[in-house]
Structure formats: structure tokens, C-alpha cells
Amino acid sequence: MRPHGAVFRLFLAHTVGKVLAVLVLLGAAEAAVALWHRETILQVSLLGYYERCATAVGLLFLAATVLISVLLLSAGLGWGKGRPGDTLDRLTISPGWVVFWQGLYNALAFLLLWGVQALLLAALVWFYGSQGGQLSPQSFYLLVWQRGFPHFLLPLGDVVGWISHIFLAAGLGCTAACFSQGMRQGRWNLSFPLLVLCALPFLGEGYGWGLMVLSVLCGAAGLGHLRWMRKEARHEETKAV
């Protein structure tokens, strides 16, 4: 079991500090957005205040997603302190297990990002109320159900929405791990960017089943591509002999 723990700790050591730094910057930037629109709080409803902040918040979340994705995709390459790619090559563990542990770590990182963004959304609502904005017991509930991005972050009573979160996080984690393995072997694997681009129109729009299907299909495609690459590599080794 020690090589398995070593693989997980390797990805943790090379990315967790940077991921947390991105999340701190995300929080600081969204706090600045909330402060920028503070003067409008007494003039608009919670929904109106959110609308004023929504574009900037969405762009910041997208930027954080891109930065964290780059960190996760490059975690197993031969770059950076300690050359993690070389360490992976020395471990007595199959590539399949490397993909599994890296995929699990990636999925947890994406869930952490969504959780932090949900907390920042709640903080935005709290700030609106603390500055004299009119809040009712249903204000936050209505915001989450009336706008797509908040509903993606907090599906509340939407069971399919919560399940689709797990599937999407697993799909992103798996395909990101497949992408990294493909880069280590010198061949690109497009399942991760394909899942990201195809999933964007579904976020917060009540298409939980669609997200689940997309995640499974892209995850299967990524794993299938890795398996094909390994067969090709073995075939080339046999021909060389």
C-alpha cells in the first residue's frame, strides 16, 4: 500500500499549496467586487445586487478553474522542484493506479473549488444584508433557484443536481489524469478539454442527467485512449525487437 500512498502524496505535495493560493486570491478578488458595488445595495434587491456582481464573479471563477486545471494537468510531469515525473517513473506501481490516485485527487480539488465558491456566494449574501440590504428568509433560496450559476453551486433540494456534481467532479478528475498521462507519454488526450467545453452549457440549467452522461462518456474515452496508447507502445517495442 505504500506506493499508492506515495503517489497520492506526490500530487498533494506538488499542487495543494498552489491550489490554496488560487482559492485565497479568488476570495480576495470577489470581496473586491462586492465592495465595488456596495453603494448600490440600498437601491436594489439581493437579486439585483447579485446581477451587478455576477459577470465579474463568473469571470473570476472561470480564471480560478483554468489556473487550478493547469496545476492539476501538469502535476505528474517532469517539471518543478523534485521532478515529480521522475518520481512517478521510479515507483513500483502500474499506470492504471497512477491515473486512479491522480484522478481522485483531481476530483477532490474541483469539489474544493466549488465548495469555496459556494461559501463566497453565501458571503456575498451576508455582505448585502450587513450593509442594509433587504433580506427575507426566502431571499437566498430564491437567488439559488432563479439563477443558473448559484444553482449549480448549491442545488439545494435538487437530488439529481448533487449527484451530477459527483459525476462531473469524477469525470473532470479522471480526464485530467488521463490528459497528464498522455502528455507524459508524448501524446495528447483531449477528453478533459472536451468535457469542460461540453459541460459549460449545462451548468446550472437543470441538465443534471446530461452532465452525468457527458462525464461518463468522456471518462471512458480518456481511459480508452490511454489503453490504446499502451497497446501501441507495446506493439512498437515488439517490432523493434
Side-chain angles (χ1 to χ4, degrees), residues 172 175 189-200 214 217-218 221:
L172 290 171
T175 54
N189 186 312
L190 299 179
S191 56
F192 177 75
L194 181 64
L195 177 57
V196 171
L197 292 175
C198 291
L200 285 176
L214 276 173
L217 289 178
C218 289

Side-chain angles (χ1 to χ4, degrees), residues 8-27:
F8 191 86
R9 289 194 299 272
L10 176 70
F11 295 122
L12 184 71
H14 282 275
T15 60
V16 67
K18 298 172 185 176
V19 168
L20 292 177
V22 171
L23 295 177
V24 170
L25 290 174
L26 176 64

